[in-house]
Amino acid sequence: MQIAGEEDLYSIMLHAPVGICILHAESMTIETANIHLLKLINKQAEDLAGKSYREIFTLAKPGDESALKMAVEGRQHQDDKGTMIQMLNGKKEIVPVTFVYKPVKNNKGKVTHIAIWILENTKEALDEELAAINEELAATNEEYAAANEELAAANEELATTNEELLKTQENLRRSEKLFRSIALNIPGSLILVVDRNHRYMAIEGDIMEKMGYDRRDYEGKHPSEISPERYEASRHLYERVLSGEKFSIERKAETGEFYLIHFVPLKNDDNIVESGLIITLDITEIKQAEEKSAKLAAIVETSDDAIVSKTLESVVTSWNAAAERMFGYTAEEMIGQTIYKIIPEDRQNEEPHILSRLITGERVDHFETRRQTKDGRLLDVSLTISPVMDKQGKIIGLSKIARDITDKKQEEQRKNDFIGMVSHELKTPLTSLAAIIQVTQKKLAQSEDQFLSDAMEKANQQARRMASMINSFLNISRLEAGKLLIEKQPFDLGQLLQEILEETRLTVTSHIFSLKECSKLTVNADRDKIISVISNLISNAVKYSPKGRLIDISCKLNGNMMVTVRVKDEGMGIKPEDLSYIFDRYYRVETNHTRHISGFGIGLYLSAEIIKRHGGEIWAESELDKGSTFYFSLPQAESSGNS
């Protein structure tokens, strides 16, 4: 027998003299069981409800799975004979039973439940149970037959009424479908539907609570019942939309939010307005974005710096007024063109290099270069370029700020020219003065007046210091003018370090010097320039470390055929925030300990430039109150060997 539906199932289960349990077809969990089954397995109803069928009937054989599957698919049930179940009627027994699996369908023909009948497998018990079941089913069928006759009569009476309601129901379904579609697909909204009498038919939206609406208080009610004042202020809007007018208004709440409200008349097939649809959208973020965009646009347009946007292919997409003034091209002339239009021929390779850095998310800050104007002039500019990303973090473009630093460059050139001129003019008299001091010092060497002898020695030291400073300024001037010549030749670096250290020991007796690991390392470099670098590092180590401390000098050959020189002191150290700037021109670390130490901040800058022009690197490591270590590297000469 096929069980017709869920109501049939529960009626049969209550009266059946056999064990029956009901499973949910998808989860295979027990929903209920009749008294006969509970007695059969000696369990309470709460022990079974919600439990997995396989968990309760642990002795079921694998054949149950195929029977269950057939029942879920709605196919004819199968009896699984020989399956064992544990019986607990006072004592532990194993009794043979038969499991009968029957699908239960809803009124749409879908299997929603599985009825499992558990029959004792003795012939007498089986015959009695089946007979009783058949009697119950026969009685149930008679009852359903009578009920069906009554329903048939009722259906005939309702047929006429149903025909009249079909059109109304279709219109309601159409309206409901439209409303639900709008409500589900418009985020940040409140949606109202009012009938021709202004009564609320439906209310939905994810900002409903935020705007002070509660569906239970509104649906089916007239707005005058809820808030008479609000209704009086809005009634004319309801009348407009229900008269067939479609319009929108914008409102700002007392709390600062902005809302855009659309009024849409809903018409039937006869083009008659049946209700009004009111859609309220929260546009606060859009308003804020518009305001921010307007401010940003104003900043861009009034900026003295050229602000340009471009694609990852270097095609210009925006060009502000300052860019027009700076480069001479109008926005119409540049938008859609590549930025190469303003890059000089000898600097075309800069753009791919910059792009390779930007596409990794890196920002390029204060990149100094030159760009060409429409009339052919070359401008010194400082570029700051940033990647533009979307909400997902994907780079979609580039933003560039160009600042004209031509005046700054000219001022620097004038300053360098002045420094070079002054240094050159000072060098001649200082050379003469140094010669006079040296001659005087020799004549006073045997003098009994110790004061004069010491004074001449100090004067000679100061003259040498001034000569070193002047040479540094001259070198910077030549460097800025591109006239600092590097004349490379192979020489023994260890021997050079030994010579410099011997000379230093003659003039500096306040510190301990150590030189190691520098045997027969030949480099290809400008000997005089490297002397200047090493002397500067040793001089700084002396100046910035207390008397009596060790200054350790060493060098070694690295695996990349570069020779590294190290100068380590036990001085005051350098703060981490200063460490990255110490090789900048004119930069000096300002502390209470360094204010009395003379210097112009040019020694390390000049040393760094000399090493860079040799194809090497220079860097430093430091720890406050423990000392600093300066390193520089030079290429090893090709014929050099390390013994």
Side-chain angles (χ1 to χ4, degrees):
M1 183 197 78
Q2 178 78 18
I3 299 177
E6 297 176 1
E7 293 182 0
D8 295 356
L9 169 65
Y10 289 105
S11 175
I12 293 171
M13 185 184 74
L14 291 174
H15 299 90
V18 297
I20 299 177
C21 68
I22 309 300
L23 303 186
H24 189 274
E26 291 185 3
S27 64
M28 288 297 163
T29 55
I30 299 173
E31 288 193 354
T32 185
N34 67 357
I35 296 175
H36 193 85
L37 176 63
L38 295 175
K39 289 180 179 180
L40 189 64
I41 63 175
N42 196 27
K43 289 185 178 294
Q44 300 296 320
E46 55 268 20
D47 296 334
L48 273 64
K51 298 292 182 65
S52 169
Y53 168 71
R54 298 171 182 85
E55 179 183 349
I56 298 301
F57 298 100
T58 56
L59 296 179
K61 290 183 177 180
D64 292 347
E65 293 295 334
S66 60
L68 280 170
K69 183 177 180 181
M70 291 177 66
V72 170
E73 293 172 352
R75 298 160 64 186
Q76 291 296 326
H77 72 272
Q78 291 214 351
D79 296 345
D80 188 15
K81 297 180 180 180
T83 301
M84 305 298 291
I85 185 169
Q86 188 174 17
M87 305 296 292
L88 299 172
N89 291 330
K91 61 180 181 178
K92 189 172 183 179
E93 296 180 1
I94 301 296
V95 175
V97 296
T98 295
F99 286 80
V100 180
Y101 304 92
K102 293 182 178 292
V104 181
K105 300 180 180 179
N106 59 16
N107 55 6
K108 295 182 180 180
K110 180 182 177 181
V111 176
T112 60
H113 294 81
I114 306 297
I116 302 179
W117 297 5
I118 303 173
L119 311 174
E120 293 185 32
N121 234 2
T122 62
K123 185 176 183 305
E124 295 80 3
L126 189 60
D127 291 342
E128 291 177 2
E129 290 171 350
L130 289 174
I133 291 170
N134 287 331
E135 289 179 5
E136 292 292 335
L137 290 175
T140 302
N141 286 334
E142 290 178 2
E143 293 175 2
Y144 279 117
N148 285 334
E149 291 179 2
E150 295 176 0
L151 286 172
N155 285 336
E156 290 178 2
E157 295 175 2
L158 291 173
T160 304
T161 305
N162 284 338
E163 289 178 2
E164 296 174 354
L165 290 175
L166 281 176
K167 187 175 181 179
T168 303
Q169 289 176 346
E170 180 61 28
N171 290 336
L172 288 175
R173 279 195 297 271
R174 186 183 297 113
S175 299
E176 183 180 0
K177 183 178 179 181
L178 175 63
F179 172 74
R180 296 301 174 191
S181 176
I182 294 172
L184 291 174
N185 289 282
I186 304 180
S189 65
L190 172 69
I191 303 176
L192 299 170
V193 179
V194 295
D195 64 16
R196 293 200 58 80
N197 295 318
H198 300 185
R199 191 173 297 275
Y200 294 115
M201 298 173 62
I203 177 171
E204 189 60 79
D206 56 1
I207 61 171
M208 182 169 55
E209 183 177 346
K210 176 183 176 182
M211 295 189 67
Y213 288 84
D214 189 322
R215 184 184 296 105
R216 295 168 298 182
D217 296 336
Y218 279 77
E219 288 186 348
K221 295 184 180 179
H222 195 275
S224 62
E225 301 176 41
I226 303 165
S227 177
E229 294 180 359
R230 179 186 289 183
Y231 173 62
E232 287 301 320
S234 305
R235 183 169 61 178
H236 68 289
L237 300 174
Y238 295 164
E239 291 172 350
R240 287 174 61 186
V241 69
L242 291 169
S243 67
E245 183 181 354
K246 180 181 179 180
F247 60 97
S248 301
I249 62 172
E250 192 174 300
R251 290 282 173 87
K252 182 179 181 181
E254 295 179 357
T255 52
E257 291 91 350
F258 288 90
Y259 296 102
L260 179 63
I261 309 171
H262 298 289
F263 292 83
V264 181
L266 301 179
K267 301 179 181 180
N268 59 18
D269 293 339
D270 297 327
N271 204 33
I272 298 173
V273 176
E274 291 187 336
S275 55
L277 177 67
I278 304 170
I279 306 173
T280 302
L281 302 175
D282 187 345
I283 59 170
T284 305
E285 291 185 2
I286 296 174
K287 279 289 185 180
Q288 291 172 344
E290 288 177 354
E291 183 178 349
K292 188 182 295 184
S293 178
K295 289 180 179 178
L296 181 60
I299 292 171
V300 169
E301 284 306 308
T302 58
S303 173
D304 291 330
D305 295 330
I307 301 177
V308 179
S309 298
K310 58 184 182 178
T311 68
L312 296 177
E313 291 75 33
S314 301
V315 176
V316 176
T317 56
S318 71
W319 186 265
N320 75 339
E324 292 186 357
R325 293 192 298 270
M326 189 178 298
F327 298 109
Y329 292 102
T330 64
E332 290 76 13
E333 291 174 308
M334 284 303 299
I335 293 176
Q337 302 292 319
T338 69
I339 202 69
Y340 286 97
K341 193 169 183 176
I342 63 170
I343 300 178
E345 288 293 332
D346 61 341
R347 296 177 182 265
Q348 295 278 314
N349 62 330
E350 289 180 354
E351 182 70 5
H353 174 68
I354 292 172
L355 287 174
S356 67
R357 294 172 59 185
L358 291 167
I359 59 177
T360 64
E362 183 182 351
R363 172 188 168 104
V364 176
D365 285 317
H366 309 301
F367 176 72
E368 294 189 1
T369 183
R370 284 189 164 190
R371 292 294 180 258
Q372 190 167 3
T373 64
K374 185 177 181 179
D375 57 10
R377 290 178 298 109
L378 292 178
L379 295 180
D380 289 298
V381 294
S382 174
L383 304 180
T384 296
I385 312 171
S386 304
V388 178
M389 301 182 181
D390 59 17
K391 291 182 179 180
Q392 288 72 39
K394 181 181 178 183
I395 298 175
I396 57 175
L398 304 170
S399 175
K400 174 190 291 186
I401 299 175
R403 176 165 293 179
D404 187 348
I405 57 171
T406 303
D407 291 342
K408 175 187 171 185
K409 284 291 185 181
Q410 291 175 348
E411 181 63 28
E412 288 181 355
Q413 187 60 48
R414 286 193 292 268
K415 181 173 65 176
N416 290 331
D417 292 344
F418 175 75
I419 291 173
M421 179 189 68
V422 171
S423 299
H424 182 74
E425 293 298 323
L426 288 175
K427 189 173 183 180
T428 301
L430 182 60
T431 302
S432 300
L433 179 61
I436 294 170
I437 291 173
Q438 289 174 8
V439 171
T440 305
Q441 187 178 13
K442 287 182 180 181
K443 289 187 176 183
L444 291 174
Q446 304 300 325
S447 174
E448 296 179 357
D449 191 338
Q450 188 63 37
F451 172 77
L452 290 176
S453 178
D454 293 343
M456 286 300 103
E457 175 61 28
K458 290 181 179 178
N460 191 30
Q461 291 177 2
Q462 295 301 323
R464 287 201 301 269
R465 182 178 295 176
M466 287 183 65
S468 176
M469 288 182 183
I470 289 172
N471 283 332
S472 295
F473 280 121
L474 282 172
N475 283 331
I476 287 179
S477 179
R478 295 186 188 112
L479 180 69
E480 298 293 342
K483 298 178 181 178
L484 184 66
L485 298 179
I486 303 295
E487 298 179 353
K488 297 180 182 180
Q489 60 182 0
F491 63 87
D492 189 325
L493 182 61
Q495 183 180 344
L496 177 64
L497 287 169
Q498 187 66 44
E499 292 174 5
I500 294 172
L501 197 54
E502 287 175 0
E503 184 179 340
T504 302
R505 283 179 175 140
L506 292 176
T507 56
V508 180
T509 59
S510 57
H511 291 70
I512 303 169
F513 296 94
S514 169
L515 175 63
K516 54 189 176 183
E517 301 178 21
C518 289
S519 59
K520 296 184 180 179
L521 288 174
T522 304
V523 295
N524 190 34
D526 187 319
R527 198 172 192 276
D528 291 337
K529 300 298 189 300
I530 300 305
I531 289 174
S532 172
V533 173
I534 297 171
S535 298
N536 181 260
L537 296 182
I538 293 175
S539 174
N540 283 347
V542 171
K543 284 196 294 184
Y544 293 101
S545 59
K547 294 180 179 180
R549 296 294 178 87
L550 174 67
I551 296 174
D552 185 43
I553 306 164
S554 64
C555 57
K556 65 177 180 178
L557 177 65
N558 297 325
N560 57 358
M561 301 302 291
M562 299 291 287
V563 177
T564 301
V565 178
R566 185 192 72 170
V567 179
K568 184 178 185 300
D569 65 53
E570 298 175 344
M572 63 183 67
I574 304 170
K575 293 180 181 179
E577 57 266 30
D578 290 320
L579 202 56
S580 59
Y581 299 103
I582 58 175
F583 296 106
D584 291 352
R585 184 177 52 180
Y586 305 130
Y587 186 83
R588 293 197 70 219
V589 177
E590 294 292 341
T591 67
N592 292 330
H593 300 290
T594 61
R595 287 174 185 169
H596 66 283
I597 300 174
S598 62
F600 293 95
I602 59 175
L604 288 177
Y605 167 70
L606 185 59
S607 297
E609 292 298 325
I610 290 172
I611 295 300
K612 287 177 184 177
R613 279 161 173 72
H614 279 81
E617 292 184 74
I618 188 168
W619 68 98
E621 298 171 354
S622 187
E623 189 173 352
L624 277 178
D625 301 324
K626 291 188 177 181
S628 303
T629 304
F630 283 79
Y631 304 85
F632 70 86
S633 62
L634 293 170
Q636 184 187 27
E638 292 183 3
S639 60
S640 175
N642 186 14
S643 59

